[in-house]
Amino acid sequence: MAPGEFRMPPQAPPLFDGTAQSIVADTERFIAESRGVLDRLSRNIKPEEATFENVMLVLGNDENKIALESHIVGFYQAVSPHKELRDASTKADELMDAWGVEASMREDIFKLVDAVFEKRHEIGLKDENLRFVERERKNFIRFGLGLPQGPKRDRFKEIKLRLSQIGISFQKNLNEENGGMWLTKQELEGVPGDVVSGFKTGEGENVGKSFASFKYPDLFPVLKYAKSEKVRKEILIANENRVNQNIPLFREAVLLRDEAARLLGYPNHAAYRIEDKMAKNPETVDDFLSDLRQRLTPGGEREIKLLKEIKKAEKEKAGEEFDDRYWLWDHRYYSTIQLEREYQLDQEKISEYFPLQNTLSGMLQIFEELLGLEFFELSKEDRAKISPTGKSEDITWHEDVQVFSVWNDKSEGGDFVGYLYTDLHPRDSKYGHAANFNLQAGFVSANGTRRHPATSLVCNFSKPSAKKPSLLKHEEVTTLFHELGHGIHDLVARTKFARFHGTNVVQDFVEAPSQMLENWCWTPSQIRFLSKHYSTVSESYMAVWKENAGADAKPPPQVMPDDMINSIVNTRHINDAIFNLRQLHFGIFDMTVHEPNSREELENMDFTVVYNKLRAEIALMEGPDMLGAGFDWGHGQAAFGHLMGGYEAGYYGYLSSQVYSMDMFHSVFQKDPMDGKEGRRYRHAVLEKGGSRDEMESLVDFLGREPDSKAFYDELGLKR
């Protein structure tokens, strides 16, 4: 990060001093204010008088203003340690969604927007202003205003309101799930001691046991290292059933989405969702997924054959019978053995070179050099200086949170960019995955000044212990860089309207910028730059290392050795087919439930059976169904948060966006990932534009041509 003294930002950070009462009251206030804006427009402007300035700019400024508060009141439910604040945030979300449906179905406002749309060429609208008018008009139509007033439109509104309630309840159940398994020392044999020491210890009937939660820092090490197949099987099945209260919610949501799409004249929800994306129609998506499945399956079969050989050898060594099967609970365990023994990839040793805070600092330095940014971490004293209340604690939601002020460097003008927050460790009732959350969008205010964004990374990496810092596995390094990529996209965007800011792009492109950045984590020079052995961070850590390694042990190199770096790079594509087949399972399941041939087919569909059958067929691993449990042994769809968080009929984007990400990296950055000239060109051509123009236009601007799939297939070792 850039050195230097504290600089006073020209804009205060957002406050997180809400109470259960104020969160709901503030939401009711800004909704009432927005309703007043629409009422005045309807009262004062006739369609024939409608212009961009007296209608669209008024709507845009109102939307911008709401965005300063709406994301924050909804954010508490994902991160607040206080149940009353999470509950209030959930209520606020319900109020906002209900208002969103109401506002999007106001025919009086639609007539004004439509009037501006009809004269768009006459009045010379272009660029972001034209896109705003086109998108706003289309939004009204997609919210049922193409339907005649009466029962159909009323039913559509009813469906939209119910879908909002379902989505909020579904995510709340996921966030507040705190289950796991109590395991004995014997059952945890093989799991690294550093991991087990972080588990909650039992009392009473669980005395002598440790609690492995279903959070990733607990669950994955058990699946990777526990020698007991029985334990791995039990925790995997339990994890697949951890939020079964979401089973009926998932079913209801899928059926309602289908009904709403059919009311609007679409054959299914997938057709409704995809028409505005880069793929344009479900057939394009189906062809892409089917083709990729066909290409990947032979590789997956070969990979599983090799893993079964490893399993056989391990079973024989342990004097146990080999069943010639490869179970779901086998994969993380035997693939870890394969990486360690055949490729000398010691994930625990590698993690010693990625202490979280040093790694984060290195990543920020990469973005400084590449994109022309500067990051300053704000101390408690700094936070107090910029806090509107004068209290440092009021600008964060938890003591774990770090805050950075972000600036352009001199080459980019030296002005303020925005605020970056990081909330990196798990805690009860916190959002359980890794994600970037926009807190306040950037936009041009009504007075012409620029409003700067605030964005947060929310992750769940292991907490530091008394003796060691938080250490990242290489896959966690990649995850952190990926999510930080979303955060940077959110920070450097410069759009006129909040709705187009940052990652507000079409869903089958949104992952491409972050996926492209993952390549830095597989580049030897960047791995070397990011690495720093934890023992060299402080004298106390060195003392701990010596205690474990022995007083006479030679101190480890400060930077990761080349042979270790090579072991990482050489394993990039090991079991790649299996990984991508798993992604295909998610994507094909998503399309299957959102693209039925008929309403009757959907109503008769058992989503649990479909989910597990597709996994068995596509991912090539066997589950309890092969042991006579049937295909209803687990309910993975009930924990599939993406399909309730805006990715429905869109999960394919995680695969299809790699076409763009690989093309950008191989064409521009592979030769020199730290080329600052190209980095700044990428910043201004792609990241800065957000969704303010067609994403394909941004790609063509950056690449100098239409994107090509060659790099994507080459990276996967497949022929086009």
Side-chain angles (χ1 to χ4, degrees), residues 22-225:
S22 71
I23 288 170
V24 175
D26 286 344
T27 305
E28 291 172 336
R29 170 186 49 75
F30 66 68
I31 288 174
E33 291 171 354
S34 184
R35 185 179 288 111
V37 169
L38 301 193
D39 289 345
R40 286 191 294 276
L41 270 180
S42 178
R43 189 167 56 246
N44 298 332
I45 307 293
K46 298 176 181 177
E48 59 269 23
E49 300 169 343
T51 67
F52 184 85
E53 287 73 20
N54 68 14
V55 173
M56 301 308 303
L57 205 52
V58 173
L59 292 174
N61 287 335
D62 178 56
E63 191 172 88
N64 290 346
K65 182 182 175 184
I66 287 177
L68 293 177
E69 298 185 79
S70 59
H71 294 183
I72 290 172
V73 296
F75 183 58
Y76 282 99
Q77 65 191 292
V79 296
S80 176
H82 306 295
K83 186 178 186 303
E84 65 273 16
L85 297 189
R86 297 195 303 273
D87 289 345
S89 178
T90 299
K91 175 65 176 176
D93 234 3
E94 293 170 353
L95 292 170
M96 289 187 291
D97 282 359
W99 165 239
V101 172
E102 177 187 330
S104 296
M105 296 188 73
R106 284 191 59 157
E107 191 153 13
D108 52 349
I109 305 301
F110 173 56
K111 288 177 179 178
L112 296 177
V113 172
D114 191 50
V116 178
F117 174 82
E118 290 298 329
K119 62 180 81 166
R120 64 195 183 283
H121 299 307
E122 176 190 335
I123 61 180
L125 288 182
K126 59 182 181 179
D127 300 330
E128 191 173 347
N129 288 351
L130 176 60
R131 192 169 177 85
F132 181 34
V133 174
E134 292 172 339
R135 288 295 181 89
E136 185 71 346
R137 178 179 180 272
K138 185 67 176 287
N139 185 60
F140 277 110
I141 294 171
R142 287 171 66 83
F143 262 84
L145 291 191
L147 295 172
Q149 287 192 358
K152 283 190 175 181
R153 190 187 289 188
D154 292 343
R155 175 57 181 160
F156 186 87
K157 182 177 182 179
E158 184 181 317
I159 289 172
K160 284 293 186 181
L161 290 170
R162 177 57 186 153
L163 281 171
S164 163
Q165 295 167 353
I166 292 171
I168 291 168
S169 296
F170 191 98
Q171 188 59 54
K172 184 178 176 65
N173 289 337
L174 278 176
N175 289 348
E176 304 211 343
E177 179 278 312
N178 290 313
M181 286 179 59
W182 287 102
L183 298 170
T184 65
K185 185 176 180 180
Q186 182 179 0
E187 288 171 324
L188 286 168
E189 183 184 357
V191 181
D194 284 352
V195 173
V196 176
S197 67
F199 291 173
K200 182 167 65 176
T201 54
E203 299 176 353
E205 64 180 12
N206 292 312
V207 68
K209 295 182 179 181
S210 299
F211 186 73
S213 75
F214 297 134
K215 306 295 184 187
Y216 289 166
D218 293 3
L219 176 68
F220 286 175
V222 174
L223 290 172
K224 281 183 176 182
Y225 297 109

Side-chain angles (χ1 to χ4, degrees), residues 424-703:
L424 302 178
H425 303 299
R427 55 182 177 270
D428 286 349
S429 302
K430 177 187 167 184
Y431 178 82
H433 298 277
N436 171 246
F437 290 79
N438 173 263
L439 302 175
Q440 290 183 330
F443 55 82
V444 176
S445 300
N447 64 7
T449 60
R450 175 154 292 281
R451 181 77 197 187
H452 303 285
T455 193
S456 178
L457 302 192
V458 177
C459 302
N460 285 277
F461 304 122
S462 61
K463 291 184 178 182
S465 67
K467 292 188 174 183
K468 280 187 182 179
S470 174
L471 300 175
L472 301 180
K473 307 291 191 296
H474 181 258
E475 63 185 356
E476 293 176 316
V477 173
T478 305
T479 296
L480 178 58
F481 208 55
H482 177 103
E483 296 305 336
L484 189 55
H486 285 311
I488 298 300
H489 195 174
D490 209 7
L491 283 166
V492 303
R494 290 179 67 85
T495 60
K496 186 174 184 178
F497 299 107
R499 68 162 56 188
F500 297 129
H501 177 80
T503 55
N504 288 318
V505 297
V506 290
Q507 204 169 56
D508 45 2
F509 178 74
V510 69
E511 297 298 333
S514 284
Q515 287 173 335
M516 186 192 76
L517 289 167
E518 291 180 21
N519 289 284
W520 272 249
C521 299
W522 295 98
T523 302
S525 60
Q526 301 311 302
I527 296 173
R528 187 176 297 110
F529 175 75
L530 289 173
S531 69
K532 184 182 178 70
H533 196 275
Y534 82 91
S535 67
T536 66
V537 172
S538 71
E539 291 183 5
S540 60
Y541 288 151
M542 177 59 81
V544 171
W545 182 86
K546 286 182 177 179
E547 180 183 326
N548 293 330
D552 297 329
K554 183 180 178 182
Q558 179 172 339
V559 176
M560 187 179 289
D562 287 345
D563 60 343
M564 194 176 284
I565 293 174
N566 291 335
S567 74
I568 293 174
V569 175
N570 292 340
T571 57
R572 177 171 190 176
H573 296 298
I574 300 303
N575 298 326
D576 228 7
I578 293 175
F579 173 81
N580 284 296
L581 286 168
R582 179 172 174 266
Q583 290 294 91
L584 277 172
H585 163 237
F586 294 144
I588 292 173
F589 171 76
D590 177 22
M591 293 300 292
T592 300
V593 301
H594 290 117
E595 193 190 9
N597 293 315
S598 67
R599 178 68 180 182
E600 182 182 9
E601 179 186 285
L602 187 65
E603 289 175 345
N604 291 328
M605 193 179 291
D606 185 325
F607 298 138
T608 292
V609 171
V610 170
Y611 184 89
N612 289 319
K613 268 191 174 180
L614 282 174
R615 175 160 55 185
E617 294 167 3
I618 298 168
L620 307 177
M621 286 180 256
E622 297 172 300
D625 43 276
M626 294 300 294
L627 297 171
F631 282 105
D632 59 353
W633 60 267
H635 304 275
Q637 80 278 9
F640 202 165
H642 284 82
L643 299 198
M644 288 292 172
Y647 273 79
E648 78 275 8
Y651 196 88
Y652 72 90
Y654 275 101
L655 287 164
S656 66
S657 60
Q658 288 185 44
V659 172
Y660 313 125
S661 67
M662 285 302 176
D663 196 5
M664 288 190 289
F665 179 75
H666 282 259
S667 300
V668 180
F669 290 109
Q670 187 174 39
K671 183 178 179 181
D672 180 8
M674 295 309 298
D675 186 331
K677 181 180 178 182
E678 294 291 7
R680 284 157 176 77
R681 192 169 69 82
Y682 171 68
R683 171 182 175 177
H684 298 304
V686 179
L687 300 180
E688 192 172 277
K689 302 302 179 184
S692 66
R693 67 177 179 180
D694 190 276
E695 291 77 9
M696 186 58 73
E697 185 181 342
S698 293
L699 279 169
V700 171
D701 184 10
F702 180 60
L703 292 170

Side-chain angles (χ1 to χ4, degrees), residues 222-234:
V222 174
L223 290 172
K224 281 183 176 182
Y225 297 109
K227 292 184 177 181
S228 168
E229 181 176 337
K230 178 175 178 290
V231 167
R232 298 196 310 272
K233 175 185 174 183
E234 288 178 353

